[in-house]
Amino acid sequence: MEIESNKLKSQFLNFPGTRYMGSKHKIINDIWNHISDLKFHSFLDAFAGSNVVSYFMKCQGKQVITNDFLKFSSTISKAIIENSRIQLNEIDILILLSEKAVNYNDNFIQNNFNGIFFTPDENAFLDRTRSNIELLDNEYKKCLALASLIRACMKKQSRGIFTFVGQRYDDGRKDMKLSLKEHFLNAVDEYNACVFDNKQNNLSLNIPVESLDYKSDLVYLDPPYYSPKSDNDYTRRYHFVEGLCKNWEGLQIVEKSKVKKFKSYNSSFSKEESALNEFNNLFYKYKDSKIVVSYSSNSFPTKENIAGLLSLYKDKVIVNEIDHTYSFGNQSKDNLNNFVKEYLFIGI
Ligand SMILES: C[S@@+](CC[C@H](N)C(=O)[O-])C[C@H]1O[C@@H](n2cnc3c(N)ncnc32)[C@H](O)[C@@H]1O
């Protein structure tokens, strides 16, 4: 039993790191130290982002429900959290890399993103591979392949965000030198290695939290942090990989945008007033679960607001502080705004 549980925990080392904005990868062990004594079996990660927290909980043997309104986030979680056994094999990779298959997406990327993020050859590779993904015969294989293509784009794009044209921050890192195809093949290996069975029915969702209707023993809330100093718009930063994931279906590109972004999804967390109200709605909705909230010290609503609201629904509220340097937003690494305290509110 002990060996089995150690095996599950060492599986977490396979999780491929990203520079996802607000990722809890660096502090996941601190978070765990604060909540490991709580009794819970099912775990709902309502704003899963990079999925690092959900994947960690899968490795602890929990039953995980992971959710994000970004389709690309939930595609990754479907591939490595909901999926417990399907991997991409050599034949799948041959299909994915085939240059002869029919191109179903009418060279969308070559036609719309020429000269923006990647070279013409790389755009052709993306169009081809995106189209070949549809030839795979299994939903989880499609998610693994798509997750790998998304990872390739994020690794190849400097800073992993799509807010500027060209390689403005090319610092000569190895990631910038590898081709998109090399990144893609590396990512296939990395995500294949993430697939494992923790003997639970795990679920990946793609629902705006405002209409989420799933319950669990413990609910983890890590919403975007509203601050007047910077925007918390995830769609603006990651529009290209979100578009790639949806094949831009139903998304309208804002033509005057230099980076060809589409109109951002609405989130109650993008304005101070609606954020406070939505915290209240979420705390009410999950009043029968243990509630854990991550939030940062330079954001609104304030620490006092959140602790006050939570105590309306919970007998006991504990506020922990974790020192944390955020890996970025749009700011430079040494911007003081990035040195913040990360609060972890626990309502039981
Ligand atoms: C702070 S990040 C979560 C980071 C995550 N815990 C991690 O470790 O990577 C917030 C996430 O909330 C998502 N989000 C924002 N508004 C949302 C909404 N209304 N419904 C669902 N997800 C939302 C964003 O797409 C983003 O991935």
Side-chain angles (χ1 to χ4, degrees), residues 15 18 20-28 31 45-54 67-73 206-212 220-225 232-235 238 265-270 278 294 326 342:
F15 185 81
T18 56
Y20 194 78
M21 181 166 73
S23 164
K24 298 295 173 284
H25 205 154
K26 283 190 187 150
I27 57 165
I28 187 66
I31 294 179
D45 188 358
F47 303 85
S50 69
N51 291 296
V52 66
V53 181
S54 284
N67 176 65
D68 200 285
F69 75 168
L70 288 174
K71 180 82 178 166
F72 89 86
S73 162
N206 176 220
I207 301 174
V209 80
E210 296 81 351
S211 36
L212 192 64
Y220 176 62
L221 304 173
D222 184 18
Y225 305 156
N232 61 8
D233 185 348
Y234 281 78
T235 334
Y238 299 110
Y265 302 156
N266 278 328
S267 174
S268 323
F269 292 89
S270 47
E278 194 51 33
S294 278
Y326 268 101
E342 177 81 24

Side-chain angles (χ1 to χ4, degrees), residues 21-294:
M21 181 166 73
S23 164
K24 298 295 173 284
H25 205 154
K26 283 190 187 150
I27 57 165
I28 187 66
N29 286 315
D30 296 296
I31 294 179
W32 182 239
N33 286 341
H34 288 298
I35 65 172
S36 57
D37 285 344
L38 301 179
K39 283 209 166 37
F40 64 102
H41 173 62
S42 51
F43 177 85
L44 169 62
D45 188 358
F47 303 85
S50 69
N51 291 296
V52 66
V53 181
S54 284
Y55 193 75
F56 183 91
M57 293 301 165
K58 182 175 179 183
C59 296
Q60 298 295 332
K62 306 292 181 191
Q63 183 189 16
V64 177
I65 305 175
T66 171
N67 176 65
D68 200 285
F69 75 168
L70 288 174
K71 180 82 178 166
F72 89 86
S73 162
S74 72
T75 299
I76 298 169
S77 61
K78 223 175 176 53
I80 63 170
I81 294 173
E82 185 178 300
N83 173 24
S84 55
R85 59 186 182 88
I86 303 290
Q87 292 178 313
L88 291 171
N89 60 32
E90 282 176 18
I91 296 172
D92 300 323
I93 293 169
L94 283 179
I95 294 173
L96 289 166
L97 297 183
S98 163
E99 300 201 3
K100 299 218 172 90
V102 180
N103 189 332
Y104 292 109
N105 74 342
D106 296 328
N107 297 329
F108 186 91
I109 298 169
Q110 290 166 85
N111 292 336
N112 289 278
F113 289 92
N114 185 26
I116 298 186
F117 303 120
F118 302 116
T119 65
D121 281 353
E122 288 168 337
N123 284 341
F125 168 78
L126 286 175
D127 271 329
R128 215 168 43 235
T129 314
R130 179 66 188 88
S131 173
N132 290 344
I133 286 174
E134 300 306 324
L135 302 174
L136 297 175
D137 57 2
N138 176 287
E139 216 37 55
Y140 290 129
K141 285 190 177 183
K142 288 184 186 177
C143 289
L144 276 167
L146 207 39
S148 304
L149 204 57
I150 289 164
R151 182 164 172 78
C153 293
M154 289 175 76
K155 295 280 276 184
K156 180 78 185 171
Q157 172 70 359
S158 50
R159 310 181 89 194
I161 52 175
F162 299 88
T163 52
F164 48 85
V165 174
Q167 299 299 318
R168 197 190 305 172
Y169 302 97
D170 184 348
D171 54 6
R173 274 179 308 122
K174 189 173 160 223
D175 275 352
M176 311 300 292
K177 296 201 177 99
L178 291 185
S179 70
L180 259 185
K181 182 176 165 184
E182 286 167 315
H183 276 299
F184 174 67
L185 291 173
N186 287 345
V188 167
D189 287 344
E190 290 172 313
Y191 282 132
N192 264 346
C194 283
V195 177
F196 78 106
D197 188 0
N198 76 344
K199 308 279 190 276
Q200 306 295 333
N201 275 329
N202 305 298
L203 186 63
S204 154
L205 303 171
N206 176 220
I207 301 174
V209 80
E210 296 81 351
S211 36
L212 192 64
D213 191 20
Y214 283 78
K215 299 274 148 99
S216 69
D217 302 336
L218 189 149
V219 176
Y220 176 62
L221 304 173
D222 184 18
Y225 305 156
Y226 174 80
S227 154
K229 294 201 182 100
S230 68
D231 81 80
N232 61 8
D233 185 348
Y234 281 78
T235 334
R236 186 173 79 77
R237 286 172 180 79
Y238 299 110
H239 66 95
F240 184 74
V241 282
E242 179 71 358
L244 180 68
C245 196
K246 292 187 158 177
N247 236 339
W248 282 272
E249 274 164 28
L251 302 176
Q252 214 181 346
I253 290 181
V254 179
E255 277 312 323
K256 66 176 193 318
S257 140
K258 285 195 182 122
V259 289
K260 298 288 169 76
K261 66 179 182 186
F262 55 83
K263 197 169 168 289
S264 287
Y265 302 156
N266 278 328
S267 174
S268 323
F269 292 89
S270 47
K271 289 197 197 95
E272 188 185 350
E273 325 78 68
S274 52
L276 192 61
N277 194 31
E278 194 51 33
F279 269 112
N280 190 31
N281 292 342
L282 288 176
F283 292 166
Y284 174 72
K285 181 154 67 177
Y286 294 114
K287 62 185 184 334
D288 297 328
S289 305
K290 298 182 171 77
I291 300 178
V292 175
V293 185
S294 278

Side-chain angles (χ1 to χ4, degrees), residues 331-348:
Q331 306 104 334
S332 78
K333 253 193 161 172
D334 33 57
N335 184 329
L336 278 177
N337 288 332
N338 283 357
F339 294 95
V340 294
K341 277 196 191 314
E342 177 81 24
Y343 298 128
L344 193 71
F345 302 83
I346 301 176
I348 46 182

